[in-house]
Amino acid sequence: MGQIRLLPDDVASQVAAGEVVERPASVLKELVENSLDAGASRIDVRFRRGGSSLIEVADNGCGMDREDALLCLERHATSKLRSGTDLASIATLGFRGEALPSIASVSRFRLATRQSGALDGTEIAVAGGRIDFVRACGCAPGTVIEVRNLFFNLPARRKFLRTEQTEQSHLETTFRLLALSHPNIRFTLSREDRVMHQLAPTTLLERIRDLFGPELARRLIAVPDSGDAPFRVYGYLGEPGLSRSDRSQQLVFVNGRAVENAVLSRALREGYHTALMRGQHPITFLFIEMDPGMVDVNVHPAKREVRFRDGRGLHEGVVRMVQEALQSHRGPWTRRFALEARHQGNDVPLAAHPSPATMSTRGQPLLALSTESENVSPSRDPLPQPLIRYTKQHALPSEGSPSGDHQESGDDQVGDDQVSGDLSLQQPGTGADDPALTSKLEASLFKILGVLGKTYLVLENRQGLVMVDQHAAHERILFEQLRKRMEYQGALSQQLLLAQTIQLAPKDSDWVMKNLDTLEQMGIGLEPFGPSTFKLEALPAYLKASDPQRLMLDIIGELAQKSITTSRLRLGEDVIAKTVCRHAVKARDSLGPAECQRLLEDLLACDLPYCCPHGRPTMIQISYDELEKKFGRQAPSWGAL
Ligand code: ADP
Ligand code: MG
């Protein structure tokens, strides 16, 4: 008895600070969030020595009167919540009333604030949680908070600060996230009294460009604004092939707050699906807005994590939106690659006249061009014929792209006739919406030069050299053909000579019972055969397995862990992606010219032609610019500044 005591307020604040103020970057985050909540249109941030000597945030927000300025330093004092019910729908970034007293309890803290109509402002200095003075002061409308000597009174915590450089990089990351979350607000950042960022109010894309550079901004795909209900999604996604091995640029903002959330991470991964290499994470700048009542932000001390009321709905929405955005990228992608070659006058059949450039000095072809029969299919295993007609619209070079310009200006360079002729086929009613035709057209904008090392198709387009990985390309083609076949007709399945019984763990067997239909559509024939036991009667024709039972156990084990969202056939996709690899033409299978042509056309007819089902690129471009630099034909561009 008599052992329990209430902690004095300053100690309680220091304890709370342990959660809220993890490091200088957390101070920055709390202060800027307060400025945003105060309706500021301009926020200036300064820090010195990785934030351990100074962090200052100045805003032109609503400011506080003297009474509030004193109150805001009390624990649990907030203007943002009135009752417990408010907690269920938080529309502000802060709500706990903990940040300022916590920060003030572990630093030398100074606050100067003035409301815009007030005659004078209020200045308060606090050291380690004790108020030094409160006085009237002259200051601009808004609030300035200075935090010096963080953790000066908690040597143990101060020791835990990392090097100045590490803390500085955390501060900069936090600043970038905050500046991204509100592109309409002017931000500046100074480090050691040098201005690092000066960000004018702008659009999201411009803000991304300001913070991450034009190269990244160029490689983003816009996610069109989805409208309001039940949540609004918009932003930018990295194009396929743009990814990172960590999640540091997988940024998602929910109601203006950068968040980490497993549902969202899974949805992004699933949306990218075959457009992402294993172990890689997409680059995203995704904004989600929803009724604050649908998201709980009160689950993490630094409010980084959130929970969604309707996680499943959100998951599906995000997956769908990512898929749509990636497919919409097809047009720009095609425009970039499929610009007609510079010199297209020479239409000599490829195999007939290997050009001198393709011969090495010893007379051996450098670019091996097989002259086999024109009618063989590109692989030893014949390519499955497309069973359905492709339904994609294909964008051809248009406004802004060189060939589009040519068409407008009637420029009569060699090759133009062909291009404008091609484009005229795009007119409605001329059969241009026949996708097979369109992909032929797109393919005709490339000139096939040959095959390098029996592995890479070497093509010429307007911008220079294009190389296609024949295996990756064929994998993508097979993958899409099999998937479409499965979707529309169900996969072809093959009866096993001897049905095999499979015993499953109860949870897997529940899953199989619920998904018998989907499995059947994938070509897997399973019959219930007693508790947790099934008879395996058929397998997809494209699966060749020496031990079907083991294979089934593997597949079911893997599939059962996945959520079934937008398409139940997503399940099948994973299996197909695994198996097409074995069936696709391999590097070193030599392809003849007709086969190259067909491979190219089929690739361009795909929904996601830019990568194989494992996310590796199918095509790369080496531009004339790059070639000229390599050959020293282009003067380096220094001195240009
Ligand atoms: P919370 O943000 O959770 O309310 P804080 O401790 O961060 O708690 O801030 C306490 C209160 O101080 C806020 O509710 C707000 O009323 C006021 N305040 C803090 N910073 C500012 C600012 N920059 N401008 C105006 N008011 C502020
Ligand atoms: Mg706050």
Side-chain angles (χ1 to χ4, degrees):
M1 288 292 280
Q3 301 285 320
I4 301 179
R5 243 163 262 138
L6 278 175
L7 287 177
D9 245 15
D10 52 344
V11 181
S13 287
Q14 287 179 1
V15 173
E19 296 218 303
V20 183
V21 190
E22 194 188 333
R23 58 183 351 143
S26 2
V27 173
L28 174 63
K29 175 172 181 285
E30 294 293 340
L31 297 183
V32 173
E33 285 188 352
N34 280 344
S35 300
L36 290 167
D37 282 343
S41 63
R42 161 170 201 146
I43 300 174
D44 299 308
V45 178
R46 288 201 303 144
F47 68 83
R48 284 201 207 117
R49 312 220 33 212
S52 66
S53 114
L54 169 77
I55 303 166
E56 183 192 283
V57 174
D59 68 52
N60 64 355
C62 64
M64 288 174 273
D65 63 16
R66 187 186 178 98
E67 199 184 331
D68 276 357
L70 279 165
L71 206 54
C72 79
L73 296 168
E74 301 282 334
R75 296 194 59 218
H76 307 305
T78 177
S79 56
K80 302 169 195 175
L81 274 190
R82 305 259 159 221
S83 67
T85 17
D86 290 350
L87 201 53
S89 66
I90 293 162
T92 47
L93 295 167
F95 52 87
R96 295 195 186 117
E98 261 179 350
L100 292 188
S102 301
I103 296 167
S105 75
V106 294
S107 67
R108 299 185 202 281
F109 180 99
R110 193 185 78 96
L111 173 156
T113 184
R114 178 159 83 89
Q115 292 180 309
S116 68
L119 286 178
D120 54 11
T122 308
E123 182 183 3
I124 303 176
V126 186
R130 311 252 149 111
I131 294 189
D132 275 348
F133 62 78
V134 182
R135 62 187 178 209
C137 72
C139 60
T143 304
V144 183
I145 292 179
E146 251 178 46
V147 176
R148 291 178 188 272
N149 306 104
L150 188 63
F151 300 136
F152 79 98
N153 53 343
L154 295 179
R157 292 292 305 279
R158 197 167 170 92
K159 256 196 279 178
F160 271 96
L161 287 181
R162 296 300 178 83
T163 62
E164 210 172 295
Q165 201 130 46
T166 307
E167 297 303 343
Q168 174 182 311
S169 106
H170 283 286
L171 283 160
E172 283 167 3
T173 305
T174 302
F175 175 84
R176 272 200 295 272
L177 281 181
L178 291 160
L180 265 179
S181 71
H182 291 77
N184 56 332
I185 287 172
R186 181 181 300 279
F187 276 91
T188 64
L189 175 69
S190 310
R191 187 177 85 198
E192 258 63 50
D193 298 319
R194 279 189 43 212
V195 178
M196 309 304 295
H197 287 291
Q198 226 165 0
L199 306 170
T202 180
T203 59
L204 174 58
L205 186 60
E206 286 300 319
R207 182 65 51 100
I208 296 174
R209 198 187 319 262
D210 290 345
L211 290 166
F212 294 89
E215 177 54 25
L216 181 80
R218 229 192 334 271
R219 299 186 62 190
L220 296 178
I221 304 172
V223 176
D225 199 322
S226 69
D228 277 339
F231 41 81
R232 178 177 165 215
V233 183
Y234 62 93
Y236 293 89
L237 298 176
E239 64 180 21
L242 191 64
S243 60
R244 289 180 64 98
S245 55
D246 58 30
R247 291 215 183 91
S248 62
Q249 280 186 33
Q250 181 185 303
L251 308 180
V252 186
F253 300 84
V254 174
N255 293 346
R257 183 195 307 275
V259 301
E260 287 164 20
N261 175 272
V263 172
L264 290 171
S265 290
R266 266 202 310 275
L268 288 172
R269 199 34 301 132
E270 197 163 328
Y272 270 82
H273 193 51
T274 61
L276 206 60
M277 274 188 258
R278 195 170 271 274
Q280 291 285 301
H281 301 277
I283 293 183
T284 66
F285 300 91
L286 201 62
F287 285 69
I288 303 176
E289 278 164 28
M290 59 172 80
D291 174 354
M294 298 299 285
V295 47
D296 187 359
V297 287
N298 191 19
V299 290
H300 185 270
K303 298 166 283 179
R304 253 201 316 269
E305 284 163 26
V306 292
R307 257 191 234 131
F308 297 108
R309 203 62 87 79
D310 179 18
R312 179 170 278 265
L314 185 67
H315 179 118
E316 301 211 353
V318 171
V319 172
R320 195 171 342 105
M321 178 230 71
V322 172
Q323 287 173 340
E324 282 167 13
L326 292 180
Q327 293 199 5
S328 75
H329 180 56
R330 215 190 165 291
W333 180 85
T334 309
R335 271 202 288 283
R336 192 179 322 154
F337 275 108
L339 296 176
E340 92 281 24
R342 266 187 191 172
H343 316 289
Q344 274 210 326
N346 161 17
D347 269 336
V348 187
L350 290 163
H353 297 279
S355 76
T358 63
M359 307 297 284
S360 77
T361 41
R362 279 192 235 130
Q364 294 290 331
L366 283 176
L367 306 175
L369 203 75
S370 156
T371 48
E372 287 159 18
S373 145
E374 298 257 315
N375 293 324
V376 287
S377 70
S379 62
R380 292 198 193 106
D381 294 346
L383 270 180
Q385 293 298 317
L387 289 174
I388 51 137
R389 287 158 74 85
Y390 301 109
T391 51
K392 276 272 116 207
Q393 291 291 337
H394 293 280
L396 275 171
S398 63
E399 331 81 62
S401 73
S403 55
D405 293 343
H406 285 209
Q407 209 205 358
E408 290 295 313
S409 64
D411 189 328
D412 58 3
Q413 277 181 12
V414 191
D416 275 354
D417 287 348
Q418 187 181 347
V419 170
S420 36
D422 288 346
L423 286 173
S424 69
L425 284 174
Q426 283 282 288
Q427 301 311 312
T430 57
D433 43 354
D434 179 341
L437 229 186
T438 320
S439 75
K440 265 201 170 50
L441 281 181
E442 287 178 357
S444 74
L445 300 175
F446 292 96
K447 181 172 166 191
I448 301 178
L449 300 178
V451 181
L452 182 69
K454 294 190 182 170
T455 303
Y456 305 106
L457 268 55
V458 182
L459 319 173
E460 179 187 349
N461 71 353
R462 190 181 185 84
Q463 287 169 330
L465 192 66
V466 175
M467 297 182 94
V468 176
D469 178 327
Q470 66 182 40
H471 178 64
H474 196 203
E475 265 184 8
R476 165 55 64 183
I477 296 164
L478 286 180
F479 172 77
E480 291 205 3
Q481 288 175 351
L482 286 170
R483 193 196 54 200
K484 282 177 179 155
R485 184 192 291 178
M486 179 171 76
E487 199 169 331
Y488 291 98
Q489 306 181 331
L492 286 180
S493 71
Q494 206 164 28
Q495 292 292 316
L496 297 182
L497 288 177
L498 276 178
Q500 306 202 2
T501 45
I502 297 186
Q503 178 85 39
L504 294 176
K507 109 176 139 22
D508 287 345
S509 121
D510 286 350
W511 182 88
V512 169
M513 281 307 285
K514 278 198 220 115
N515 292 285
L516 279 174
D517 282 355
T518 310
L519 290 167
E520 193 182 323
Q521 197 161 4
M522 286 169 58
I524 299 174
L526 279 171
E527 242 343 87
F529 191 66
S532 297
T533 309
F534 295 83
K535 242 193 333 200
L536 174 63
E537 294 177 333
L539 275 179
Y542 59 83
L543 262 183
K544 304 226 163 22
S546 51
D547 182 355
Q549 198 171 357
R550 174 74 275 114
L551 181 86
M552 267 336 289
L553 289 174
D554 284 353
I555 293 181
I556 290 168
E558 197 165 319
L559 294 185
Q561 289 172 12
K562 297 220 150 72
S563 64
I564 309 177
T565 57
T566 37
S567 155
R568 2 181 245 134
L569 298 170
R570 176 49 63 85
L571 299 175
E573 290 185 3
D574 289 311
V575 182
I576 294 177
K578 282 210 183 87
T579 50
V580 285
C581 186
R582 270 182 280 137
H583 296 265
V585 294
K586 296 282 180 297
R588 314 225 142 267
D589 286 353
S590 47
L591 303 187
E595 296 160 334
C596 292
Q597 184 69 31
R598 164 103 189 269
L599 191 74
L600 188 61
E601 280 169 21
D602 287 350
L603 178 65
L604 292 172
C606 287
D607 288 336
L608 285 183
Y610 20 71
C611 55
C612 79
H614 311 96
R616 288 191 297 109
T618 51
M619 258 191 189
I620 56 168
Q621 169 94 58
I622 301 169
S623 66
Y624 284 117
D625 247 19
E626 284 170 79
L627 288 172
E628 277 161 21
K629 274 191 201 124
K630 284 214 159 67
F631 282 113
R633 282 165 161 267
Q634 219 176 60
S637 58
W638 54 57
L641 282 175

